[in-house]
């Protein structure tokens, strides 16, 4: 009789249900914010008025990454929230399955990055050079490269001469640009005392001389080398971020699977 009463009184745990909802509402709202930021960025660049601009961009548009992260986060947050409130097993299984798949992709990417370090280095270098060519094509890409060069005190992929690949900065005789044989201002060694950024500091820097001569005015180290030096120095931060993200994903999977178990237990009482 007591066993019969236990199953008859079985119900979905309110604790897990609302923990699951609270866990996902944050990601749902964050996803919506990312998507809104992405659309705002595209509207500022006129992409929403002329969608063909998306196909005409030669470099990497950071807005795509923002939109991708926002969309995935929004969909997962929606599935988790609605699945918890409506006690919908399909949505909860979808949520836990996708989170598990993303976790598997992260582990796979980390292992491949460790095993294939040299091919990865070459791919990153080629990717950077491709975006050096498209530096002036997209304002978000331009800001991303400038931030990378300023933060890491670097210039170009291997050295400042990589900017010869850009039509505005190359040193060919036929180049009419005022930035000819120069580098972006983000390559310049800035003086902390300067209140205003000198955006013309890199003009004509590569007209004559060598890397040694330029080193007092601009950064001569390539960004790939700078990133290789940055990683070992910040390995604990990188590992910490990876562990926190992994724990959050495992908590989400645990809550979803526990809730699914409770819902299935309750449904057994009706059959």
């Amino acid at each position: 009789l007591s066993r019969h009463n236990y199953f008859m009184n079985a119900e979905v745990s309110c604790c897990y249900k609302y923990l699951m909802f609270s866990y996902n509402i944050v990601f749902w709202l964050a996803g919506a914010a990312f998507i809104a930021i992405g659309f705002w960025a595209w509207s500022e660049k006129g992409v929403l008025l002329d969608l063909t601009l998306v196909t005409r961009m030669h470099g990497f548009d950071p807005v795509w990454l923002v939109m991708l992260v926002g969309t995935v986060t929004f969909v997962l947050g929606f599935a988790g929230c609605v699945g918890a409130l409506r006690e919908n097993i399909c949505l909860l299984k979808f949520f836990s399955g996708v989170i598990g798949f993303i976790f598997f992709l992260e582990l796979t990417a980390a292992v491949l990055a460790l095993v294939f370090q040299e091919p990865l280095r070459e791919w990153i270098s080629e990717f950077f050079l491709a975006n050096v060519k498209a530096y002036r094509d997209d304002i978000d890409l331009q800001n991303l490269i400038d931030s990378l060069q300023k933060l890491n005190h670097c210039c170009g992929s291997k050295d400042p001469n990589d900017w010869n690949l850009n039509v505005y900065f190359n040193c060919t005789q036929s180049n009419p640009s005022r930035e000819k044989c120069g580098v972006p201002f983000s390559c310049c060694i800035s003086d902390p005392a300067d209140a205003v950024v000198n955006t013309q500091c890199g003009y004509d820097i590569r007209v004559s001389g060598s890397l040694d001569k330029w080193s007092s005015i601009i950064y001569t180290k390539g960004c790939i080398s700078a990133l290789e030096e940055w990683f070992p120095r910040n390995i604990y931060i990188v590992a910490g971020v990876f562990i926190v993200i992994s724990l959050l994903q495992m908590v989400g999977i645990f809550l979803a699977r526990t809730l699914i178990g409770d819902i299935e237990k309750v449904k057994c009482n009706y059959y």
Side-chain angles (χ1 to χ4, degrees), residues 31 34-43 45 47-48 50-73 127 131 137-141 144:
F34 270 83
I35 292 172
I37 291 169
F39 277 116
W40 171 78
W42 270 343
S43 69
K45 294 189 288 190
V47 173
L48 297 182
D50 184 7
L51 294 178
T52 59
L53 287 175
V54 175
T55 59
R56 295 207 298 269
M57 292 177 185
H58 300 294
F60 169 70
D61 185 357
V63 178
W64 276 114
L65 181 60
V66 173
M67 292 293 284
L68 177 62
V69 172
T71 301
V72 172
T73 306
F127 180 76
N131 286 290
D137 294 352
D138 181 73
I139 186 63
D140 292 320
L141 174 62
L144 182 63

Side-chain angles (χ1 to χ4, degrees), residues 176-240:
S177 172
R178 178 62 189 86
E179 296 175 308
K180 175 182 177 180
C181 270
V183 293
F185 75 95
S186 54
C187 286
C188 298
I189 299 173
S190 58
D191 186 347
D194 292 340
V196 179
V197 176
N198 179 9
T199 56
Q200 299 181 0
C201 59
Y203 283 15
D204 303 320
I205 189 67
R206 293 185 297 110
V207 170
S208 60
S210 61
L211 290 176
D212 293 334
K213 184 180 178 181
W214 305 338
S215 62
S216 61
I217 304 171
I218 63 171
Y219 303 117
T220 54
K221 181 188 295 181
C223 288
I224 301 303
S225 298
L227 288 173
E228 286 179 332
E229 293 174 6
W230 176 90
F231 190 80
R233 290 199 310 267
N234 297 274
I235 187 66
Y236 293 113
I237 295 174
V238 174

Side-chain angles (χ1 to χ4, degrees), residues 97-128:
V98 173
I99 291 287
F101 179 68
I102 292 173
F103 181 67
F104 172 76
L105 288 181
E106 290 169 354
L107 287 178
T108 303
V111 171
L112 290 176
L114 288 173
V115 175
F116 300 103
Q117 291 185 30
E118 191 57 34
L120 178 64
R121 186 184 189 280
E122 291 177 6
W123 179 83
I124 293 174
S125 179
E126 290 173 3
F127 180 76
F128 193 93

Side-chain angles (χ1 to χ4, degrees), residues 52 78 111 115 128 143 244 250 259:
T52 59
F78 174 82
V111 171
V115 175
F128 193 93
N143 290 335
V244 168
M250 286 188 281
L259 203 52

